[in-house]
């Protein structure tokens, strides 16, 4: 290569690269000018690792760092400049150099100083090696260094700056760790609400058990104020205050995630508003604010909404209603804002007692009884058994639409209605006024989700037990004294123990990253998925001891569901905050379909939605049909929720709301006839046998068929149901798995065992009758493997 050509190629390099590679370029001119003094040092001159230190922060969880793909370079329009300056690289020699580089302990230690632990270092090296080996031409700087190393004019350690540069390309979080830590710093949350900090608020905590009048006194203050906001945990509670306020002559608007109602004819906002706690405005000034069920500030998923309301509402007086367990935490939080808390304590208005005997049999039910179950299967089983006894029951569980819950509550409360028994989940714990005389816990084991998002099966907490038991004998009901007991005798002592324990004080309040914080994260990590952004944010976040970051598994589930849909980050974030039941496949697929339509800029019209849900819908014929209708109701909720965020793309909210009311009526009719639906479902298929292994199906098929024809006994003989032995000693028994999954109850299991034994005796008796007594030399025919 001629010297003028070499000079021309050198002139094409950017000025920064010229300076950075001057020493390395010396080797390129070595054939013309001989060796140059001052060989490159063994350890490259890179910025000290301390510059990227986190200042004592916890080490990040590097398993959350998902490597990006860096494609090898193809042919360059300018040709291979590095090869022209030096000479083409021998790929075999380069591979040996890279392997030597990887094995050097000094390099691994230096990588660790820059945040590359063993896992990241390995992944970065694999990507770096592939990039070097597969590129048609390399950048001039790295080409020259590799060439020098091949000719022993440079040391293998001189590759480290290029390796680190590549590592930061595939793991961009390494480049901006300090910035990310600042963005995700969730310490001192009171400073996020300058408008609330600009006024001196009066905080009044109304503390007391269920049915003590604490919320009543707070609402009276709300109604007498010039302006006010009520923040409740449920749509039902917001509706109740909305109606109560307007009935009292105080104009009040309603705001929930799915609904906006204004009472002023011109659409002007009223001075009072009842809303769900997530929807409260932290910029509107009020005279009085009421935050109901303040103890839910500890909720693993929704606690952030109570924290936001408590710290951010701009109200002269903030009235908190809830358990005494929250007093200490609220006092500590308000100390950080410079606000004092006034405590007002209330006692229960009517007496309540735990009975000394369990119900034991549904034959002992009386009018005003409420059986509390913690699974739908128990709800169905108990309702069916009550119907067999000639009694009528109302049914309330969480996935029912609000209108259906209210209709069932009205039916149960009506003294002229023949329905005198209520079967419900803990959904009755708040939001419904019920005339209950006796609460009967069908079980004390409740599935729950912990702060890590893991499912647990544990006895209910004292707080939950008190909340549910307190529904008996309410002040406004016809029963002035409440009673509590259990279905099983063995559970009664545990219930008494749970109710006698002091409620554990609440230790921390929930926090949640805002859309703005996630957008700033995405600015630094533009190629990272939203789900991964959330994981990294939570990992990098720093909180004070009085706070925790709420579980975001539902958010991440939605983010992963719609990840492949092309949406802007803000739109994607809003879609992911839409409340969905991820256990319902149709609801999940509907969110995906809505996002896909949105990305195409195709409005989701009323006509399109009718076709999508296949309207008109028919009354349910079995339990599965009822569950499908509940899922469709949830889909309409998602449409309404999104319609208030994207009015142009979801334009027909009023029509959809009318459609939802019609659907609510269909579901109400189905629930009214729920025992008939259960009976039909039992006749066709009691359990979903497709989920069982073939061997287990054959073992249980005869039992399940007989189970559909027999009435289940309600008496319990012991706290532990006898379980069939597992065919494999190392596996959990089938019975245990079915109970854990909620497909079987202990009562059903005991009955199955009895019927199984009865069937077996009957089969043996028939065999002896048909065959007579076997003679000595006669051998019985060998059974087929599946005959049992």
């Amino acid at each position: 290569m001629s010297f003028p050509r070499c000079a021309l190629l050198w002139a094409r390099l950017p000025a920064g690269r010229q300076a950075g590679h001057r020493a390395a370029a010396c080797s390129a001119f070595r054939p013309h000018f001989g060796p140059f003094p001052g060989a490159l040092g063994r350890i490259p001159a890179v910025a000290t690792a301390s510059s990227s230190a986190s200042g004592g922060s916890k080490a990040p969880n590097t398993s959350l760092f998902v490597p990006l793909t860096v494609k090898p370079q193809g042919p360059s329009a300018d040709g291979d400049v590095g090869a022209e300056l030096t000479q083409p690289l021998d790929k075999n020699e380069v591979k040996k150099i890279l392997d030597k580089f990887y094995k050097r302990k000094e390099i691994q230690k230096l990588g660790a100083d820059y945040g590359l632990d063993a896992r990241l270092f390995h992944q970065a090296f694999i990507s770096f090696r592939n990039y070097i080996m597969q590129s048609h031409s390399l950048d001039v700087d790295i080409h020259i260094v590799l060439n020098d190393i091949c000719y022993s004019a440079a040391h293998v350690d001189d590759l480290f700056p290029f390796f680190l540069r590549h590592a930061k390309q595939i793991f961009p979080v390494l480049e901006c760790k300090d910035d990310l830590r600042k963005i995700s710093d969730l310490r001192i949350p009171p400073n996020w609400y300058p408008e609330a900090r600009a006024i001196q608020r009066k905080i009044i905590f109304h503390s007391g058990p269920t049915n003590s009048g604490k919320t009543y006194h707070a609402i009276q203050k709300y109604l007498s104020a010039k302006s006010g906001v009520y923040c409740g945990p449920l749509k039902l509670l917001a509706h109740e205050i909305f109606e109560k306020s307007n009935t009292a002559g105080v104009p009040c608007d309603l705001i929930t995630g799915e609904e906006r109602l204004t009472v002023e004819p011109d659409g002007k906002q009223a001075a009072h508003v009842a809303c769900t706690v997530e929807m409260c405005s932290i910029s509107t000034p009020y005279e009085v604010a009421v935050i109901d069920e303040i103890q839910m500030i500890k909720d693993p998923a929704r606690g952030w909404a109570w924290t936001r309301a408590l710290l951010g509402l701009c109200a002269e007086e903030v009235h908190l209603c809830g358990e005494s367990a929250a007093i200490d935490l609220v006092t500590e939080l308000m100390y950080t804002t410079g606000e004092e808390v006034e405590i007002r304590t209330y006692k229960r208005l009517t007496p309540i007692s735990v009975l000394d005997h369990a119900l034991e049999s549904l034959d002992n039910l009386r009018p005003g009884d409420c059986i509390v179950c913690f699974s739908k299967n128990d709800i169905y089983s108990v309702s069916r058994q009550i119907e067999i006894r000639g009694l009528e029951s109302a049914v309330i569980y969480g996935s029912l639409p609000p209108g259906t819950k209210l209709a069932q509550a009205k039916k149960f409360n009506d003294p002229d209605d023949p329905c005198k028994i209520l079967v419900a989940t803990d959904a009755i714990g708040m939001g419904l006024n019920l005339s209950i005389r006796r609460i009967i816990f069908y079980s004390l084991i409740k599935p729950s989700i912990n702060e890590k998002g893991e499912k647990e099966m544990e006895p209910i907490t004292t707080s939950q037990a008190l909340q549910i038991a307190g529904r008996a004998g309410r002040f406004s009901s016809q029963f002035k004294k409440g009673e509590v007991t259990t279905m099983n005798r063995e559970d009664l002592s545990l219930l008494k123990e749970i109710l006698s324990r002091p409620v554990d004080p609440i230790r921390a309040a929930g926090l949640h990253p805002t859309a703005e914080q996630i957008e700033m994260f995405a600015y630094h990590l533009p190629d990272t998925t939203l789900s991964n952004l959330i994981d990294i944010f939570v990992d990098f976040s720093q909180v004070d001891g009085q706070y925790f970051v709420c579980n975001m598994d539902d958010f991440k589930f939605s983010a992963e569901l719609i990840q492949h849909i092309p949406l802007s980050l803000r739109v994607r974030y809003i879609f992911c905050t839409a409340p969905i039941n991820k256990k319902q496949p149709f609801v999940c697929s509907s969110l995906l379909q809505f996002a896909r339509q949105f990305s195409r800029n195709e409005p989701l019209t009323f006509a399109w939605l009718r076709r999508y849900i296949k309207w008109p819908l028919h009354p349910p014929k079995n339990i599965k049909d009822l569950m499908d209708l509940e899922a469709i109701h949830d889909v309409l909720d998602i449409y309404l929720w999104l319609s208030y965020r994207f009015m142009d793309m979801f334009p027909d909210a009023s029509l959809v709301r009318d459609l939802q009311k019609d659907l609510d009526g269909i579901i109400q009719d189905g629930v009214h006839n729920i025992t008939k639906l259960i009976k039909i479902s039992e006749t066709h298929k009691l359990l979903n046998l497709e989920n069982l292994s073939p061997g287990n199906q054959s073992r249980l098929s005869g039992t399940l068929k007989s189970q559909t024809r027999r009435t289940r006994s309600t008496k319990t003989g012991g706290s532990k149901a006898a379980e069939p032995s597992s065919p494999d000693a190392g596996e959990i028994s089938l019975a245990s798995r079915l109970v854990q999954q909620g497909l079987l109850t202990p009562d059903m299991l005991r009955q199955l065992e009895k019927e199984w034994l009865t069937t077996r005796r009957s089969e043996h008796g028939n065999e002896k009758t048909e065959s007579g007594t076997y003679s000595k030399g006669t051998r019985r025919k060998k059974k087929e493997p599946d005959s049992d």
Side-chain angles (χ1 to χ4, degrees), residues 478-495:
Q478 59 178 307
F479 303 110
K480 302 306 178 186
K481 181 181 178 182
E483 297 174 341
V484 185
T485 188
T486 60
M487 181 70 187
N488 300 321
R489 185 188 311 168
E490 298 76 15
D491 289 339
L492 190 56
S493 59
L494 177 57
L495 176 63

PDB file of all heavy atoms in Angstrom, residues 478-495:
ATOM      1  N   GLN A 478     -81.857  -6.206  60.863  1.00  0.00           N
ATOM      2  CA  GLN A 478     -82.923  -6.651  61.760  1.00  0.00           C
ATOM      3  C   GLN A 478     -82.378  -7.478  62.922  1.00  0.00           C
ATOM      4  O   GLN A 478     -83.091  -7.720  63.898  1.00  0.00           O
ATOM      5  CB  GLN A 478     -83.941  -7.476  60.983  1.00  0.00           C
ATOM      6  CG  GLN A 478     -83.357  -8.711  60.305  1.00  0.00           C
ATOM      7  CD  GLN A 478     -84.399  -9.529  59.585  1.00  0.00           C
ATOM      8  OE1 GLN A 478     -85.419  -9.900  60.178  1.00  0.00           O
ATOM      9  NE2 GLN A 478     -84.166  -9.802  58.302  1.00  0.00           N
ATOM     10  N   PHE A 479     -81.093  -7.896  62.816  1.00  0.00           N
ATOM     11  CA  PHE A 479     -80.485  -8.685  63.882  1.00  0.00           C
ATOM     12  C   PHE A 479     -79.561  -7.793  64.698  1.00  0.00           C
ATOM     13  O   PHE A 479     -78.548  -7.303  64.181  1.00  0.00           O
ATOM     14  CB  PHE A 479     -79.718  -9.876  63.294  1.00  0.00           C
ATOM     15  CG  PHE A 479     -80.568 -10.768  62.427  1.00  0.00           C
ATOM     16  CD1 PHE A 479     -80.370 -10.808  61.058  1.00  0.00           C
ATOM     17  CD2 PHE A 479     -81.564 -11.556  62.990  1.00  0.00           C
ATOM     18  CE1 PHE A 479     -81.148 -11.626  60.262  1.00  0.00           C
ATOM     19  CE2 PHE A 479     -82.345 -12.374  62.190  1.00  0.00           C
ATOM     20  CZ  PHE A 479     -82.152 -12.411  60.818  1.00  0.00           C
ATOM     21  N   LYS A 480     -79.862  -7.576  65.941  1.00  0.00           N
ATOM     22  CA  LYS A 480     -79.110  -6.642  66.785  1.00  0.00           C
ATOM     23  C   LYS A 480     -77.976  -7.325  67.534  1.00  0.00           C
ATOM     24  O   LYS A 480     -77.278  -6.691  68.312  1.00  0.00           O
ATOM     25  CB  LYS A 480     -80.058  -5.980  67.792  1.00  0.00           C
ATOM     26  CG  LYS A 480     -81.208  -5.233  67.122  1.00  0.00           C
ATOM     27  CD  LYS A 480     -80.699  -4.215  66.084  1.00  0.00           C
ATOM     28  CE  LYS A 480     -81.843  -3.501  65.383  1.00  0.00           C
ATOM     29  NZ  LYS A 480     -81.374  -2.627  64.295  1.00  0.00           N
ATOM     30  N   LYS A 481     -77.824  -8.619  67.313  1.00  0.00           N
ATOM     31  CA  LYS A 481     -76.734  -9.352  67.939  1.00  0.00           C
ATOM     32  C   LYS A 481     -76.144 -10.317  66.916  1.00  0.00           C
ATOM     33  O   LYS A 481     -76.875 -11.023  66.238  1.00  0.00           O
ATOM     34  CB  LYS A 481     -77.233 -10.126  69.156  1.00  0.00           C
ATOM     35  CG  LYS A 481     -76.155 -10.908  69.882  1.00  0.00           C
ATOM     36  CD  LYS A 481     -76.738 -11.676  71.062  1.00  0.00           C
ATOM     37  CE  LYS A 481     -75.651 -12.501  71.759  1.00  0.00           C
ATOM     38  NZ  LYS A 481     -76.176 -13.295  72.883  1.00  0.00           N
ATOM     39  N   GLY A 482     -74.818 -10.312  66.809  1.00  0.00           N
ATOM     40  CA  GLY A 482     -74.165 -11.155  65.819  1.00  0.00           C
ATOM     41  C   GLY A 482     -73.561 -12.408  66.434  1.00  0.00           C
ATOM     42  O   GLY A 482     -73.146 -12.414  67.591  1.00  0.00           O
ATOM     43  N   GLU A 483     -73.521 -13.476  65.642  1.00  0.00           N
ATOM     44  CA  GLU A 483     -72.920 -14.735  66.081  1.00  0.00           C
ATOM     45  C   GLU A 483     -71.955 -15.228  65.004  1.00  0.00           C
ATOM     46  O   GLU A 483     -72.164 -14.991  63.816  1.00  0.00           O
ATOM     47  CB  GLU A 483     -74.002 -15.794  66.322  1.00  0.00           C
ATOM     48  CG  GLU A 483     -74.977 -15.438  67.432  1.00  0.00           C
ATOM     49  CD  GLU A 483     -76.107 -16.439  67.551  1.00  0.00           C
ATOM     50  OE1 GLU A 483     -76.343 -17.192  66.575  1.00  0.00           O
ATOM     51  OE2 GLU A 483     -76.760 -16.469  68.615  1.00  0.00           O
ATOM     52  N   VAL A 484     -70.910 -15.912  65.447  1.00  0.00           N
ATOM     53  CA  VAL A 484     -69.882 -16.431  64.534  1.00  0.00           C
ATOM     54  C   VAL A 484     -69.557 -17.865  64.937  1.00  0.00           C
ATOM     55  O   VAL A 484     -69.435 -18.166  66.128  1.00  0.00           O
ATOM     56  CB  VAL A 484     -68.586 -15.590  64.594  1.00  0.00           C
ATOM     57  CG1 VAL A 484     -67.587 -16.086  63.551  1.00  0.00           C
ATOM     58  CG2 VAL A 484     -68.889 -14.121  64.386  1.00  0.00           C
ATOM     59  N   THR A 485     -69.428 -18.741  63.943  1.00  0.00           N
ATOM     60  CA  THR A 485     -69.011 -20.115  64.210  1.00  0.00           C
ATOM     61  C   THR A 485     -68.376 -20.702  62.949  1.00  0.00           C
ATOM     62  O   THR A 485     -68.145 -19.973  61.971  1.00  0.00           O
ATOM     63  CB  THR A 485     -70.195 -20.971  64.682  1.00  0.00           C
ATOM     64  OG1 THR A 485     -69.717 -22.249  65.101  1.00  0.00           O
ATOM     65  CG2 THR A 485     -71.216 -21.171  63.574  1.00  0.00           C
ATOM     66  N   THR A 486     -68.107 -21.989  62.978  1.00  0.00           N
ATOM     67  CA  THR A 486     -67.506 -22.672  61.826  1.00  0.00           C
ATOM     68  C   THR A 486     -68.389 -23.826  61.393  1.00  0.00           C
ATOM     69  O   THR A 486     -69.281 -24.257  62.133  1.00  0.00           O
ATOM     70  CB  THR A 486     -66.107 -23.219  62.175  1.00  0.00           C
ATOM     71  OG1 THR A 486     -66.233 -24.141  63.262  1.00  0.00           O
ATOM     72  CG2 THR A 486     -65.163 -22.097  62.553  1.00  0.00           C
ATOM     73  N   MET A 487     -68.120 -24.322  60.207  1.00  0.00           N
ATOM     74  CA  MET A 487     -68.852 -25.488  59.724  1.00  0.00           C
ATOM     75  C   MET A 487     -68.346 -26.746  60.423  1.00  0.00           C
ATOM     76  O   MET A 487     -69.130 -27.588  60.860  1.00  0.00           O
ATOM     77  CB  MET A 487     -68.657 -25.624  58.206  1.00  0.00           C
ATOM     78  CG  MET A 487     -69.398 -26.787  57.592  1.00  0.00           C
ATOM     79  SD  MET A 487     -71.179 -26.514  57.584  1.00  0.00           S
ATOM     80  CE  MET A 487     -71.750 -28.116  57.026  1.00  0.00           C
ATOM     81  N   ASN A 488     -67.028 -26.857  60.548  1.00  0.00           N
ATOM     82  CA  ASN A 488     -66.431 -28.047  61.130  1.00  0.00           C
ATOM     83  C   ASN A 488     -66.055 -27.814  62.590  1.00  0.00           C
ATOM     84  O   ASN A 488     -65.529 -26.758  62.945  1.00  0.00           O
ATOM     85  CB  ASN A 488     -65.171 -28.446  60.342  1.00  0.00           C
ATOM     86  CG  ASN A 488     -65.490 -28.733  58.885  1.00  0.00           C
ATOM     87  OD1 ASN A 488     -66.518 -29.326  58.583  1.00  0.00           O
ATOM     88  ND2 ASN A 488     -64.615 -28.289  58.000  1.00  0.00           N
ATOM     89  N   ARG A 489     -66.294 -28.819  63.400  1.00  0.00           N
ATOM     90  CA  ARG A 489     -65.992 -28.718  64.824  1.00  0.00           C
ATOM     91  C   ARG A 489     -64.506 -28.470  65.066  1.00  0.00           C
ATOM     92  O   ARG A 489     -64.121 -27.723  65.954  1.00  0.00           O
ATOM     93  CB  ARG A 489     -66.437 -30.008  65.523  1.00  0.00           C
ATOM     94  CG  ARG A 489     -66.302 -29.991  67.029  1.00  0.00           C
ATOM     95  CD  ARG A 489     -66.594 -31.380  67.592  1.00  0.00           C
ATOM     96  NE  ARG A 489     -67.829 -31.935  67.047  1.00  0.00           N
ATOM     97  CZ  ARG A 489     -68.191 -33.206  67.190  1.00  0.00           C
ATOM     98  NH1 ARG A 489     -67.390 -34.058  67.819  1.00  0.00           N
ATOM     99  NH2 ARG A 489     -69.327 -33.643  66.685  1.00  0.00           N
ATOM    100  N   GLU A 490     -63.661 -29.083  64.220  1.00  0.00           N
ATOM    101  CA  GLU A 490     -62.221 -28.967  64.414  1.00  0.00           C
ATOM    102  C   GLU A 490     -61.704 -27.547  64.162  1.00  0.00           C
ATOM    103  O   GLU A 490     -60.639 -27.175  64.644  1.00  0.00           O
ATOM    104  CB  GLU A 490     -61.473 -29.935  63.484  1.00  0.00           C
ATOM    105  CG  GLU A 490     -61.777 -31.399  63.736  1.00  0.00           C
ATOM    106  CD  GLU A 490     -63.140 -31.811  63.182  1.00  0.00           C
ATOM    107  OE1 GLU A 490     -63.705 -31.046  62.366  1.00  0.00           O
ATOM    108  OE2 GLU A 490     -63.647 -32.880  63.575  1.00  0.00           O
ATOM    109  N   ASP A 491     -62.443 -26.753  63.374  1.00  0.00           N
ATOM    110  CA  ASP A 491     -61.993 -25.397  63.035  1.00  0.00           C
ATOM    111  C   ASP A 491     -62.357 -24.372  64.102  1.00  0.00           C
ATOM    112  O   ASP A 491     -61.833 -23.254  64.096  1.00  0.00           O
ATOM    113  CB  ASP A 491     -62.613 -24.948  61.703  1.00  0.00           C
ATOM    114  CG  ASP A 491     -62.023 -25.690  60.515  1.00  0.00           C
ATOM    115  OD1 ASP A 491     -60.910 -26.224  60.664  1.00  0.00           O
ATOM    116  OD2 ASP A 491     -62.681 -25.741  59.459  1.00  0.00           O
ATOM    117  N   LEU A 492     -63.272 -24.736  64.999  1.00  0.00           N
ATOM    118  CA  LEU A 492     -63.801 -23.742  65.934  1.00  0.00           C
ATOM    119  C   LEU A 492     -62.726 -23.213  66.878  1.00  0.00           C
ATOM    120  O   LEU A 492     -62.646 -22.001  67.127  1.00  0.00           O
ATOM    121  CB  LEU A 492     -64.961 -24.352  66.727  1.00  0.00           C
ATOM    122  CG  LEU A 492     -65.785 -23.373  67.575  1.00  0.00           C
ATOM    123  CD1 LEU A 492     -66.328 -22.237  66.721  1.00  0.00           C
ATOM    124  CD2 LEU A 492     -66.930 -24.104  68.273  1.00  0.00           C
ATOM    125  N   SER A 493     -61.887 -24.092  67.396  1.00  0.00           N
ATOM    126  CA  SER A 493     -60.832 -23.640  68.310  1.00  0.00           C
ATOM    127  C   SER A 493     -59.843 -22.732  67.591  1.00  0.00           C
ATOM    128  O   SER A 493     -59.356 -21.742  68.155  1.00  0.00           O
ATOM    129  CB  SER A 493     -60.103 -24.839  68.919  1.00  0.00           C
ATOM    130  OG  SER A 493     -59.529 -25.645  67.903  1.00  0.00           O
ATOM    131  N   LEU A 494     -59.548 -23.055  66.318  1.00  0.00           N
ATOM    132  CA  LEU A 494     -58.640 -22.204  65.544  1.00  0.00           C
ATOM    133  C   LEU A 494     -59.262 -20.836  65.301  1.00  0.00           C
ATOM    134  O   LEU A 494     -58.581 -19.804  65.402  1.00  0.00           O
ATOM    135  CB  LEU A 494     -58.307 -22.878  64.210  1.00  0.00           C
ATOM    136  CG  LEU A 494     -57.423 -22.066  63.252  1.00  0.00           C
ATOM    137  CD1 LEU A 494     -56.108 -21.693  63.902  1.00  0.00           C
ATOM    138  CD2 LEU A 494     -57.204 -22.831  61.951  1.00  0.00           C
ATOM    139  N   LEU A 495     -60.561 -20.802  65.016  1.00  0.00           N
ATOM    140  CA  LEU A 495     -61.240 -19.519  64.812  1.00  0.00           C
ATOM    141  C   LEU A 495     -61.171 -18.657  66.071  1.00  0.00           C
ATOM    142  O   LEU A 495     -60.884 -17.453  65.998  1.00  0.00           O
ATOM    143  CB  LEU A 495     -62.695 -19.756  64.405  1.00  0.00           C
ATOM    144  CG  LEU A 495     -63.547 -18.486  64.258  1.00  0.00           C
ATOM    145  CD1 LEU A 495     -63.011 -17.606  63.136  1.00  0.00           C
ATOM    146  CD2 LEU A 495     -65.015 -18.841  64.011  1.00  0.00           C
TER     147      LEU A 495
END
